[in-house]
Amino acid sequence: MPAPSSHGGVSPPFDPAAELNGQLEITYTSPGGAASPSLARRLVTGDDGGAFTPDYLPDEARMQMLEPQLADQVQAELLTPELDALARHLWLVATQSSAHITPLHGQLVRGRSLVVAESPRLHLLWAYDRVYVKPMPEYLLSHAFWSHYLGDERASPLGAQRAAVRAAACGFVRSYAYLIRHRSDFELAQRDSHRLIPRGISYSEFCRFIRPFEALDDADVSLRYGYGELRLTRLNFWTKIFLRRFTYHKLHGQYASYLARFYGPLLFVFALFSVALSAMQVEVSVQALPEPGSGPWQPFTWASRGFAVFTLISVALAIAFLVTLSAALVIREACFAVPELLRKRWSGEGSRRITKV
């Protein structure tokens, strides 16, 4: 659980010495005689060398610190309201563990390509051969940002949303503790093709920064980050039921590619019915012969009848096999998911709400 700070808020999860971006600092002005904290950016070039000026957040040229919409922009960059609303049903989508996150090198081993997605609603969603990962905003590497925006209850511009944004930020940063487990993951994250974390920091510095986040409990993060990776195909299916929407995120940009996925199953069903109907037609034709049990065609007649019956039985067995296999897979997953779901609900974890951070 986060420790309280001296100014009435909650301290950042990491020490000031562990921050990876030192461009921000809290300054105090005195309008009307009362000291008021604000966030400013240090000028790292120039003769003064230590002056502070209102500017943009680090590496975020569209997020100016003095603009009133900055609070809305920060919320849009971190909150996942749809997934939080689906949290009680996400056990149908993924493993019920926040640590169920494959490291970056493991994603490549599984044949998945890393797709950079700036929207937090897509972070750690995967489908087929790709996984979506949101890059780490540089302001989340600043101790001053955490102290002012996510820690100080009185001064935070986020107002009533501060607790929710902090929980989402904690969960998001914690996910990188699982994405980057080895130096190879760290080097993948810093590649120019991804740039998931900024250059200019070393692997040891990153480990020092991320270690306190790895120790956070699920009660310290938002509901979405009580889970790790989410399968997008399942999420799209359950979105239709629980969110009353056609899809959570479209995987296909054109109708042709969307409809193409139905071709295989439809052709398979068509083939089964065609084989079954052909077998029935053979049996009916044999039955229509004047004396199917006599004459020179008797062996062929019985062979045709036997093969027709064999074909019908094979089609029935194929359908039964597919139904049984599908049911077995569902039951197998339910045997793992349901006991864990009941354990969390009995322990009160499933009904928790973010009220303390």
Side-chain angles (χ1 to χ4, degrees):
M1 180 176 177
S5 66
S6 59
H7 47 68
V10 182
S11 297
F14 57 98
D15 294 330
E19 71 173 356
L20 300 178
N21 188 295
Q23 299 180 33
L24 299 177
E25 184 161 326
I26 300 175
T27 61
Y28 290 87
T29 57
S30 301
S36 176
S38 61
L39 203 62
R41 185 171 177 180
R42 182 187 294 272
L43 286 175
V44 294
T45 58
D47 296 334
D48 51 4
F52 296 92
T53 178
D55 204 344
Y56 302 95
L57 289 179
D59 203 35
E60 298 289 348
R62 294 180 179 271
M63 301 176 69
Q64 191 171 5
M65 286 183 285
L66 292 183
E67 292 294 330
Q69 65 266 26
L70 178 61
D72 295 333
Q73 291 175 319
V74 171
Q75 294 179 47
E77 287 290 319
L78 297 174
L79 293 181
T80 56
E82 297 163 305
L83 293 177
D84 290 342
L86 279 172
R88 59 179 299 186
H89 307 296
L90 288 180
W91 66 276
L92 297 166
V93 176
T95 302
Q96 299 174 78
S97 171
S98 56
H100 183 65
I101 299 175
T102 305
L104 294 178
H105 81 275
Q107 302 286 356
L108 301 183
V109 169
R110 293 188 174 194
R112 300 175 187 167
S113 59
L114 302 177
V115 179
V116 175
E118 292 291 349
S119 174
R121 66 193 296 272
L122 295 179
H123 183 58
L124 293 182
L125 269 59
W126 69 272
Y128 306 115
D129 60 347
R130 57 187 181 272
V131 59
Y132 301 96
V133 182
K134 176 179 171 60
M136 176 79 72
E138 289 197 28
Y139 54 82
L140 289 182
L141 306 177
S142 167
H143 191 274
F145 179 87
W146 280 83
S147 298
H148 181 65
Y149 261 83
L150 306 178
D152 194 335
E153 296 175 346
R154 298 169 300 177
S156 174
L158 295 171
Q161 290 294 316
R162 182 199 63 86
V165 175
R166 179 189 171 91
C170 287
F172 172 76
V173 177
R174 187 181 68 170
S175 69
Y176 268 83
Y178 300 105
L179 285 172
I180 301 177
R181 305 292 294 178
H182 308 277
R183 182 176 291 276
S184 59
D185 301 317
F186 181 77
E187 293 174 353
L188 283 171
Q190 285 192 325
R191 281 185 179 178
D192 290 335
S193 57
H194 306 138
R195 199 64 67 89
L196 300 178
I197 56 176
R199 288 184 174 274
I201 60 177
S202 67
Y203 179 57
S204 57
E205 290 174 333
F206 175 81
C207 292
R208 182 184 181 188
F209 167 80
I210 206 70
R211 190 174 295 113
F213 289 93
E214 191 173 3
L216 293 178
D217 296 327
D218 286 348
D220 299 321
V221 302
S222 63
L223 296 175
R224 180 267 175 269
Y225 290 106
Y227 293 80
E229 296 175 3
L230 302 177
R231 187 179 300 185
L232 183 53
T233 51
R234 291 187 182 180
L235 190 60
N236 282 336
F237 173 79
W238 291 111
T239 293
K240 297 178 178 64
I241 299 174
F242 297 117
L243 294 184
R244 303 293 191 272
R245 285 169 42 184
F246 185 73
T247 183
Y248 179 83
H249 176 73
K250 291 193 299 183
L251 285 170
H252 308 281
Q254 298 181 354
Y255 287 121
S257 59
Y258 174 76
L259 295 175
R261 63 178 185 158
F262 297 107
Y263 295 162
L266 288 176
L267 288 174
F268 178 75
V269 172
F270 176 78
L272 287 180
F273 277 98
S274 296
V275 171
L277 286 174
S278 299
M280 286 187 272
Q281 285 179 337
V282 170
E283 176 62 21
V284 170
S285 299
V286 171
Q287 291 288 349
L289 292 176
E291 293 182 1
S294 60
W297 290 93
Q298 178 182 359
F300 182 75
T301 300
W302 283 109
S304 298
R305 171 175 288 181
F307 189 74
V309 173
F310 171 77
T311 301
L312 290 173
I313 293 176
S314 299
V315 171
L317 290 177
I319 295 175
F321 172 76
L322 292 176
V323 172
T324 303
L325 180 62
S326 300
L329 292 175
V330 171
I331 293 174
R332 174 174 170 269
E333 293 194 4
C335 289
F336 287 98
V338 173
E340 180 66 14
L341 178 67
L342 295 177
R343 184 194 68 80
K344 287 188 174 183
R345 289 187 175 179
W346 287 338
S347 63
E349 295 179 36
S351 59
R352 70 174 178 83
R353 292 294 182 270
I354 301 172
T355 58
K356 58 180 172 53
V357 292

